């Protein structure tokens, strides 16, 4: 492995970690010495890569925008194309358009042989040939990002209708169901709502307290506790 390849691999490893990672771990992943990791970190920093941290505490990649674009592997191209194809076929118009724009941007920076592979994919997503799951999704995604509470008129599986004020946190994309997960003010607990059973939705001007990341952590902790206690989603 050349030094250039090693530096690219080091940046890629740092990209995969959202929290500081130790030089020892990086050295083990790259089969190099810890001393070499320290030298490579300094080299990358001098080239303009924003890496924070220090020896003993670990390193975190903040930005690598000064580096030239890295090459995608053939498997990475397959994964990107397959994922974006799924989005373009199984989501609402807003995300379909975003997927198409993202694919165009990727296509524009690829070398010719990978661009050709992207145009002639052998990994395809099955579609039922009908428009599914488009209603309410853009409003829900917007509320998730802006932390606005949403007011739902919801009909449950027993055909009982209720009005709920929800703090939206997660939108789950399952094969035949889209699931809104959030804090329900009526139940004072986290609840799941099938999007296809939402009769009306209205975004409130009121935002819920705390940050989206804090609410997301509470939701994850809630489900982890349920799993530890033997609960499973129906």
């Amino acid at each position: 492995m050349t030094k250039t390849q090693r530096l690219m691999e080091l940046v890629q490893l740092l990209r995969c970690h959202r929290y500081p990672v130790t030089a020892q771990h990086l050295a083990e992943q790259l089969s190099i010495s810890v001393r070499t990791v320290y030298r490579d970190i300094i080299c990358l920093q001098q080239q303009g890569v924003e890496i924070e941290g220090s020896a003993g505490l670990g390193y975190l990649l903040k930005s690598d925008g000064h580096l030239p674009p890295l090459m995608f592997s053939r498997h990475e191209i397959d994964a990107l194309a397959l994922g974006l194809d799924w989005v373009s076929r199984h989501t609402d118009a807003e995300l379909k358009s975003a997927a198409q724009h993202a694919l165009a941007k990727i296509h524009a920076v690829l070398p010719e042989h990978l661009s050709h592979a992207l145009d002639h994919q052998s990994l395809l997503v099955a579609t039922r040939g009908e428009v599914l799951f488009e209603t309410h999704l853009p409003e829900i995604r917007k509320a998730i990002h802006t932390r606005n509470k949403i007011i739902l008129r919801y009909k449950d599986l027993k055909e009982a209708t209720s009005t709920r004020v929800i703090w939206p946190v997660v939108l789950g994309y399952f094969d035949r169901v889209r699931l809104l997960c959030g804090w329900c003010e009526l139940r004072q607990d986290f609840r799941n709502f099938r999007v296809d059973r939402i009769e009306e939705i209205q975004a409130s001007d009121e935002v819920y307290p705390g940050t989206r990341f804090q609410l997301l952590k509470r939701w994850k902790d809630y489900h982890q506790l349920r799993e530890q206690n033997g609960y499973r989603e129906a």
Side-chain angles (χ1 to χ4, degrees):
M1 182 187 299
T2 67
K3 180 178 180 180
T4 299
Q5 291 173 323
R6 191 176 71 241
L7 292 176
M8 293 173 65
E9 288 291 331
L10 177 55
V11 170
Q12 184 60 30
L13 277 175
L14 289 169
R15 281 197 187 104
C16 294
H17 291 82
R18 297 179 57 189
Y19 301 100
V21 56
T22 65
Q24 179 65 44
H25 177 77
L26 294 170
E28 292 172 356
Q29 294 296 307
L30 294 171
S31 299
I32 58 178
S33 68
V34 172
R35 185 182 297 274
T36 300
V37 171
Y38 291 149
R39 288 200 299 262
D40 286 349
I41 292 289
I42 293 172
C43 180
L44 288 168
Q45 289 171 332
Q46 290 173 342
Q47 294 180 39
V49 184
E50 294 182 34
I51 301 175
E52 293 184 352
S54 61
L57 296 178
Y59 296 95
L60 180 65
L61 180 67
K62 302 298 290 185
S63 171
D64 58 342
H66 290 85
L67 287 181
L70 299 181
M71 183 75 69
F72 288 114
S73 71
R74 186 65 181 85
H75 292 307
E76 290 168 340
I77 290 296
D78 283 345
L80 287 168
L82 189 62
L84 290 170
D85 189 26
W86 189 94
V87 171
S88 69
R89 293 174 183 269
H90 292 85
T91 56
D92 56 273
E94 192 173 64
L95 277 189
K96 288 177 182 178
S97 176
Q100 291 164 0
H101 282 286
L103 192 62
K105 289 180 180 178
I106 293 170
H107 194 286
V109 299
L110 289 177
E112 184 175 352
H113 70 286
L114 287 179
S115 177
H116 180 78
L118 189 62
D119 287 335
H120 299 83
Q121 275 290 307
S122 295
L123 306 180
L124 302 178
V125 174
T127 179
R128 288 180 287 273
E130 55 182 319
V131 178
L132 297 174
F133 312 122
E134 294 201 6
T135 307
H136 307 313
L137 295 182
E139 299 98 312
I140 293 172
R141 285 200 313 274
K142 181 179 179 181
I144 288 174
H145 291 306
T146 60
R147 295 176 39 240
N148 286 90
K149 298 180 182 181
I150 54 178
I151 304 167
L152 306 181
R153 192 172 77 189
Y154 185 76
K155 180 179 289 187
D156 64 21
L157 295 177
K158 296 180 180 179
E159 303 300 318
T161 301
S162 62
T163 300
R164 309 287 188 98
V165 178
I166 306 299
W167 306 0
V169 63
V170 168
L171 190 56
Y173 288 77
F174 297 89
D175 184 33
R176 298 196 62 82
V177 174
R178 302 295 179 259
L179 207 62
L180 166 62
C181 311
W183 178 263
C184 176
E185 291 190 354
L186 177 65
R187 301 301 184 191
Q188 287 296 292
D189 204 351
F190 287 103
R191 288 290 187 269
N192 299 331
F193 302 89
R194 282 179 44 169
V195 174
D196 60 306
R197 301 193 71 84
I198 296 175
E199 295 187 335
E200 288 186 10
I201 184 170
Q202 177 183 352
S204 169
D205 293 331
E206 186 178 0
V207 299
Y208 57 77
T211 68
R212 180 172 68 88
F213 305 106
Q214 290 170 335
L215 184 62
L216 183 61
K217 184 179 185 304
R218 285 176 56 193
W219 177 80
K220 289 180 177 178
D221 291 343
Y222 166 82
H223 279 281
Q224 183 177 10
L225 181 61
R226 285 174 62 87
E227 289 179 0
Q228 290 172 353
N229 291 333
Y231 292 101
R232 292 292 184 271
E233 293 296 334

